[in-house]
């Protein structure tokens, strides 16, 4: 194995926090300075490792929120009983360091050569790798039609709202709010079900490529609905984040 | 290259002073109750549930759920220690002592292999499960044991690492010779005494 | 907590030296074939258990024993790191 060629992938490298952006009350995007980053595909993730002064260390995986060519970013949701996410979303500041390994994951990725039409379905923080796909699609000038259906509890929980709202043309973003909706809400309400998919999902005759990401139960329920709509399982890619 | 320190990061639960002396080596106290599994949570209707003692493929004695519920049960408060290094102190359980079940069978076995729904197994010396420190537990913290924590019933053997407290337990296979169970087969210690830090095979 | 093979991409990178999420895993018990990314994975226990999504048999177990990854692959009939697309 050539030393330098694989260094970025197989070993941990030191990352310095370049910037932090609060997306919602409990979600933050962290931009990392990674001088030896080899580039990445949309949908991939990276592993981080934090080491405390007493030597205790913790590792976690986060989807990369940015497209190749942009600074490497992760978007982290604070879990109330978490050990790492409260630190990343509240304590961490520019200049702090962590270790990063990646990019990881050759399966749950999309590039323009993979074609479409693309159906992206996100549950909560599952939107992160799908946002990377949309950014990559836009940056590469691809005209593959894309639709994102994004399920959140309420409007304040929607991550990247302003950015997602500016997609037009061949990329359509639809939201569903499951817990409460603001007055004059024009989007969907309630959990993703077959009736909603009937309005959003490409017909199977168009040979769409689907990416579903979010909590395990969400992903499995949605995948089942797409299979029932005759999407071949080889064209339904899933990434489970655990949780509910 | 040594890992850089991430400023301000620390372990979530710091060992409490009050726990000093109560913790086996290498453990730290947690206040939540982590859910660790090797497989999917089984869901068995109580009317189909049985607990059996078997030997050589033969069932020697079997109890239905109502039969177990009819037996004298104990409420115990114990500390539990997971090999992944968390310990939870003062946990309350209710269950039937395993001794009461084992004593209803005539045998001279030295070891048992506890077996569970979903295929999990773990091995224990008979003296550890007869010795008054092992229960077939069905309530935790005053409530019926939740499925993700092993409900309807799990083995509770607090003096050993918690992987020996088999979730979803359905019985004990009596053995003449010790036989490694699931985690014991994959590199974990055959006995698992947290006070002697017997985590891995060869410890 | 049930995740999928994407969650152990880093662990498999450590073990195999390359990304294995697209590798094709064949279940020794039921014969089902699919990418590692789509297996059912249980983490946070004494070890990582990878199960066949079709029949729930154990495909792979990784236990971290004294700092070393102890890997059991006996539940796999095959693991093809470079399957034809």
């Amino acid at each position: 194995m050539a030393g330098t060629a694989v260094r970025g992938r197989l070993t941990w490298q030191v990352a310095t926090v370049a910037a932090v952006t609060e997306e919602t009350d409990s979600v933050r995007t962290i931009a990392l300075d990674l001088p030896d980053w080899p580039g990445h595909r949309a949908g991939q993730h990276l592993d981080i490792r934090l080491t405390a002064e007493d030597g205790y260390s913790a590792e976690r995986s986060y989807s990369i929120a940015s497209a190749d060519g942009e600074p490497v970013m992760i978007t982290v949701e604070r879990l109330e009983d978490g050990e790492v996410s409260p630190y990343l979303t509240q304590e961490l500041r520019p200049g702090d360091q962590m270790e990063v390994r990646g990019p990881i994951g050759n399966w749950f990725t999309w590039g323009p050569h993979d074609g479409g039409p693309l159906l992206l379905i996100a549950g909560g923080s599952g939107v992160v790798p799908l946002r990377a796909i949309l950014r990559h699609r836009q940056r590469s000038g691809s005209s593959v039609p894309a639709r994102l259906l994004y399920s959140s509890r309420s409007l304040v929980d929607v991550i990247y709202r302003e950015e997602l709202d500016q997609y037009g043309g061949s990329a359509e973003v639809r939201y569903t709010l499951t817990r409460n909706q603001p007055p004059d809400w024009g989007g969907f309400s309630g959990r993703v079900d077959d009736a909603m998919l009937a309005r959003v999902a490409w017909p199977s005759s168009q040979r769409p490529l689907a990416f579903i990401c979010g909590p395990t139960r969400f992903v499995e329920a949605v995948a089942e609905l797409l299979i029932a709509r005759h999407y071949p399982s080889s064209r339904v890619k899933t990434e489970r984040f655990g949780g509910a | 290259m040594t890992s850089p320190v991430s400023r301000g990061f620390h372990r979530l639960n710091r060992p409490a002073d009050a726990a000093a002396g109560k913790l086996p080596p290498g453990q730290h106290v947690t206040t939540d109750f982590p859910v660790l599994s090797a497989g999917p949570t089984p869901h068995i209707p109580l009317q189909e549930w049985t607990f059996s003692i078997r030997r050589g493929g033969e069932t020697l004695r079997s109890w239905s759920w109502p039969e177990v519920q009819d037996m004298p049960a104990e409420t115990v408060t114990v500390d539990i220690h997971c090999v992944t290094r968390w310990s939870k102190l003062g946990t309350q359980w209710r269950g039937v002592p395993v001794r009461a079940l084992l004593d209803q069978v005539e045998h001279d076995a030295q070891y048992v292999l506890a077996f569970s729904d979903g295929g999990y197994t773990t091995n224990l010396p008979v003296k550890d499960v007869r010795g008054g420190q092992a229960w077939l537990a069905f309530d935790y913290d005053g409530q019926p044991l939740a499925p993700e924590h092993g409900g309807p019933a799990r083995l509770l053997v607090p003096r050993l690492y918690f992987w020996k407290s088999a979730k979803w337990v359905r019985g004990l296979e009596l053995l003449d010779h010790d036989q490694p169970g699931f985690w014991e087969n994959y590199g974990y210690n055959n006995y698992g005494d947290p006070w002697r830090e017997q985590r891995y095979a060869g410890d | 907590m049930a995740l999928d093979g994407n969650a152990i991409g880093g662990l498999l990178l450590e073990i195999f030296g390359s990304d294995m999420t697209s590798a094709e895993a064949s279940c020794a018990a039921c014969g089902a074939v699919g990418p590692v990314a789509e297996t059912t994975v249980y983490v946070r226990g004494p070890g990582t258990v990878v199960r066949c999504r079709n029949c729930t048999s154990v495909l792979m177990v990784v236990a971290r024993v004294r700092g070393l990854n102890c890997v059991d692959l006996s539940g796999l009939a095959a693991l093809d790191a470079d399957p034809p697309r």
Side-chain angles (χ1 to χ4, degrees):
Chain A
M1 272 191 290
T4 323
V6 298
R7 187 177 163 224
R9 295 182 73 82
L10 292 186
T11 58
W12 293 93
Q13 48 180 296
V14 176
T16 308
V17 177
V20 301
T21 308
E22 313 306 326
E23 304 280 359
T24 73
D25 277 347
S26 58
V27 177
R28 178 194 260 190
T29 292
I30 300 164
L32 297 169
D33 183 31
L34 278 157
D36 290 323
W37 188 250
H40 65 277
R41 295 197 237 164
Q44 288 190 303
H45 65 269
L46 51 81
D47 291 346
I48 72 165
R49 181 162 70 194
L50 304 173
T51 303
E53 282 200 23
D54 66 359
Y56 173 74
S57 72
E59 291 178 26
R60 296 292 186 273
S61 298
Y62 294 101
S63 288
I64 301 168
S66 50
D68 193 41
E70 303 184 293
V72 176
M73 295 191 257
I74 58 174
T75 297
V76 179
E77 177 179 14
R78 178 166 64 258
L79 303 175
E80 282 320 310
D81 317 313
E83 179 175 64
V84 168
S85 62
Y87 169 75
L88 294 178
T89 54
Q90 296 174 289
E91 178 64 40
L92 189 80
R93 44 191 202 232
D96 286 343
Q97 294 194 318
M98 64 182 73
E99 291 175 287
V100 163
R101 172 174 67 186
I104 298 163
N106 284 339
W107 181 252
F108 194 83
T109 63
W110 181 87
H113 56 279
D114 291 315
L118 267 181
L119 179 64
L120 311 174
I121 306 185
S125 56
V127 72
V128 178
L130 306 183
R131 181 247 203 171
I133 289 176
L134 283 176
R135 278 169 90 105
H136 181 59
R137 178 188 163 280
Q138 184 170 67
R139 282 173 65 90
S140 66
S142 167
S143 56
V144 166
R147 279 184 197 150
L148 168 67
L149 174 60
Y150 179 8
S151 172
S152 304
R153 281 187 298 266
S154 59
L155 197 55
V156 295
D157 297 309
V158 173
I159 310 166
Y160 316 129
R161 175 101 199 265
E162 272 181 38
E163 174 185 317
L164 294 175
D165 280 348
Q166 57 81 41
Y167 282 111
S170 58
E172 230 183 287
V173 178
R174 308 287 298 271
Y175 304 95
T176 183
L177 302 180
T178 59
R179 197 170 286 179
N180 51 65
Q181 304 80 29
D184 353 299
W185 172 243
F188 293 118
S189 302
R191 295 184 179 193
V192 175
D193 59 13
D194 188 64
M196 203 181 295
L197 287 177
R199 293 167 64 183
V200 175
W202 308 101
S204 59
S205 55
Q206 291 189 33
R207 297 213 69 235
L209 184 53
F211 288 82
I212 315 171
C213 186
T216 296
R217 256 179 255 174
F218 172 89
V219 168
E220 296 192 344
V222 173
E224 217 176 287
L225 290 172
L226 288 182
I227 300 297
R229 303 198 126 257
H230 310 295
Y231 278 49
S233 56
S234 58
R235 303 281 289 172
V236 178
K237 296 208 171 184
T238 54
E239 178 148 2
R240 292 160 182 76
F241 277 5
Chain B
M1 178 197 81
T2 52
S3 298
V5 166
S6 298
R7 181 206 59 82
F9 174 67
H10 57 75
R11 183 199 300 286
L12 179 63
N13 290 288
R14 303 210 215 232
D17 287 348
K22 298 199 77 179
L23 277 188
Q27 300 290 111
H28 66 270
V29 174
T30 186
T31 49
D32 64 351
F33 195 176
V35 174
L36 276 53
S37 296
T41 300
H43 294 281
I44 181 129
L46 284 181
Q47 59 263 39
E48 288 172 33
W49 184 97
T50 56
F51 185 87
S52 315
I53 298 187
R54 301 199 316 212
R55 188 172 199 147
E58 214 185 288
T59 299
L60 302 182
R61 183 83 165 81
S62 184
W63 294 262
S64 66
W65 185 259
E67 285 171 331
V68 167
Q69 295 299 310
D70 268 346
M71 297 177 68
E74 295 174 356
T75 299
V76 296
T77 301
V78 297
D79 300 336
I80 59 182
H81 310 291
C82 181
V83 74
T84 61
R85 299 176 187 271
W86 58 262
S87 289
K88 197 164 167 62
L89 307 182
T91 60
Q92 193 189 85
W93 304 80
R94 184 166 175 76
V96 167
V98 175
R99 179 187 54 231
L101 298 156
L102 260 182
D103 281 355
Q104 292 193 37
V105 169
E106 276 211 29
H107 71 91
D108 57 0
Q110 301 292 310
Y111 299 95
V112 294
L113 186 69
F115 56 90
S116 301
D117 276 324
Y120 184 79
T121 55
T122 189
N123 55 319
L124 299 124
V126 164
K127 67 170 174 48
D128 281 82
V129 293
R130 276 204 77 252
Q133 286 283 323
W135 294 266
L136 176 63
F138 40 77
D139 282 356
Y140 168 72
D141 210 24
Q143 300 291 316
L145 185 60
E148 71 259 20
H149 284 303
R154 74 180 297 163
L155 203 57
L156 175 65
V157 191
R159 275 168 46 172
L160 300 176
Y161 280 118
F162 213 48
W163 90 72
K164 296 282 184 179
S165 293
K167 297 206 279 197
W168 313 303
V169 74
R170 294 296 300 278
L172 302 174
E173 179 81 36
L174 298 173
L175 305 170
D176 293 319
H177 306 288
D178 202 5
Q179 218 180 283
F182 187 89
W183 287 119
E184 296 83 5
N185 252 319
Y186 290 120
Y188 282 88
N189 194 276
N190 213 36
Y191 185 60
D193 179 355
W195 297 97
R196 287 182 283 162
E197 210 169 2
Q198 294 176 337
R199 297 180 196 271
Y200 310 112
D203 278 345
Chain C
M1 184 176 12
L3 302 175
D4 56 42
N6 292 297
I8 53 167
L11 176 64
L12 296 178
L13 189 60
E14 218 176 275
I15 292 166
F16 291 96
S18 62
D19 197 297
M20 295 298 277
T21 50
S22 296
E24 221 164 61
S26 301
C27 176
C30 75
V33 179
V36 168
E38 294 191 352
T39 55
T40 311
V41 169
Y42 297 88
V43 298
R44 299 181 68 215
T48 296
V49 180
V50 179
R51 289 181 180 266
C52 174
R53 190 165 290 281
N54 184 53
C55 75
T56 78
S57 276
V58 174
L59 297 175
M60 186 188 314
V61 176
V62 182
R64 198 153 175 90
V65 176
R66 295 192 201 92
L68 287 181
N69 287 319
C70 291
V71 188
D72 187 301
L73 302 173
S74 52
L76 287 168
L79 183 63
D80 186 351
D82 203 10
R85 277 204 130 213

